[in-house]
Amino acid sequence: MKKGIILITCLCVSVYLHAQFESGSFSIQAGFDGAIHGTYAESKFNGAVIDHDSSAAATSMFASSIQYHILPWLSAGLGFDYGAYIEDPEDAEANGNRISTFCVDARVYAVNHEHFNLYFGVQGGATFLKIDRLYVLFPPVSSEFMYHYSGSHFGAFTGFNWYLFKQVGLFTQIHYSNHGFDLKRYTINGTEQDLGQSEVTLDTFGVGIRLGLAIAFF
């Protein structure tokens, strides 16, 4: 039993003996994020469901985060993602859909060596979605429908930083994300529409990969 405890202690010490991140250090990640999502939309009027639909979408975003390392094995940070929301709506043409996410996250570093570290994390925050569609009545006459959603964001992820130099390197991350959107407002040809007793929700569940540049500050 004592030998087992000693062995585990030695392994833990060796993981953080030449740590890249120490208490009080900062790190930044910035790069590309691509993901695919299953979607479920539901419309209600006076509390009764009048329509629902399951579909799929993709996102292509610039992703960034900054981390403060509380301990060599633990960090907390802020993240911001912004980019395109790609869908294939029926009988409509996408006209520049945009999605953005603001979040806080926490990461645990299972490995924290001088040039390589492996982490697991969770995040939560707020997300915003603008869907802009053109419905062509007959060329060249069309109507623009713009939908503004906002809601909650949750994510879980794992990834690694590989430092080619002391403070600069690359990172790769895979993640799961869940967005719970509510329709806040929509316009037709720029004219605000009254939602009245209507309630429209859009839930997305996605997996993706993130690649980019990692920078450490000591």
Side-chain angles (χ1 to χ4, degrees), residues 167-201:
Q167 292 179 267
V168 180
L170 304 173
F171 80 92
T172 299
Q173 180 176 300
I174 56 175
H175 61 83
Y176 164 82
S177 62
N178 169 221
H179 298 143
F181 293 107
D182 294 309
L183 180 63
K184 299 302 184 181
R185 55 184 288 261
Y186 82 100
T187 61
I188 300 177
N189 294 329
T191 302
E192 192 83 21
Q193 304 298 304
D194 183 12
L195 287 171
Q197 301 301 312
S198 298
E199 179 185 348
V200 181
T201 59

Side-chain angles (χ1 to χ4, degrees), residues 58-118:
T59 51
S60 175
M61 298 188 290
F62 166 76
S64 62
S65 73
I66 180 168
Q67 297 290 311
Y68 174 72
H69 295 266
I70 303 166
L71 297 168
W73 56 270
L74 177 67
S75 72
L78 302 172
F80 170 68
D81 308 330
Y82 177 80
Y85 180 88
I86 305 160
E87 57 171 357
D88 185 21
E90 235 179 82
D91 303 322
E93 179 182 346
N95 193 38
N97 300 341
R98 290 290 180 264
I99 184 171
S100 58
T101 299
F102 300 86
C103 64
V104 295
D105 70 42
R107 305 183 182 191
V108 172
Y109 294 79
V111 177
N112 185 13
H113 288 314
E114 189 173 357
H115 292 286
F116 179 86
N117 50 74
L118 173 70

Side-chain angles (χ1 to χ4, degrees), residues 9-194:
T9 302
C10 290
L11 286 173
C12 292
V13 170
S14 68
V15 166
Y16 297 106
L17 186 60
H18 300 287
Q20 175 75 10
F21 301 129
E22 298 177 352
S23 300
S25 60
F26 286 88
S27 62
I28 292 175
Q29 293 177 328
F32 166 80
D33 184 292
I36 55 174
H37 308 263
T39 68
Y40 179 76
E42 186 175 84
S43 300
K44 293 181 179 180
F45 185 77
N46 284 333
V49 177
I50 59 174
D51 190 26
H52 61 87
D53 176 65
S54 297
S55 187
T59 51
S60 175
M61 298 188 290
F62 166 76
S64 62
S65 73
I66 180 168
Q67 297 290 311
Y68 174 72
H69 295 266
I70 303 166
L71 297 168
W73 56 270
L74 177 67
S75 72
L78 302 172
F80 170 68
D81 308 330
Y82 177 80
Y85 180 88
I86 305 160
E87 57 171 357
D88 185 21
E90 235 179 82
D91 303 322
E93 179 182 346
N95 193 38
N97 300 341
R98 290 290 180 264
I99 184 171
S100 58
T101 299
F102 300 86
C103 64
V104 295
D105 70 42
R107 305 183 182 191
V108 172
Y109 294 79
V111 177
N112 185 13
H113 288 314
E114 189 173 357
H115 292 286
F116 179 86
N117 50 74
L118 173 70
Y119 57 86
F120 300 88
V122 293
Q123 60 184 202
T127 185
F128 304 88
L129 174 64
K130 184 194 77 171
I131 293 180
D132 191 355
R133 297 175 181 167
L134 288 178
Y135 290 87
V136 179
L137 305 178
F138 51 86
V141 179
S142 63
S143 293
E144 182 184 35
F145 285 64
M146 189 176 295
Y147 305 83
H148 294 267
Y149 292 86
S150 64
S152 61
H153 164 80
F154 169 78
F157 54 88
T158 183
F160 65 84
N161 297 304
W162 177 31
Y163 285 87
L164 306 174
F165 305 98
K166 181 173 177 58
Q167 292 179 267
V168 180
L170 304 173
F171 80 92
T172 299
Q173 180 176 300
I174 56 175
H175 61 83
Y176 164 82
S177 62
N178 169 221
H179 298 143
F181 293 107
D182 294 309
L183 180 63
K184 299 302 184 181
R185 55 184 288 261
Y186 82 100
T187 61
I188 300 177
N189 294 329
T191 302
E192 192 83 21
Q193 304 298 304
D194 183 12

Side-chain angles (χ1 to χ4, degrees), residues 1-11:
M1 182 65 178
K2 290 183 179 179
K3 289 183 178 179
I5 294 174
I6 293 172
L7 178 60
I8 292 173
T9 302
C10 290
L11 286 173

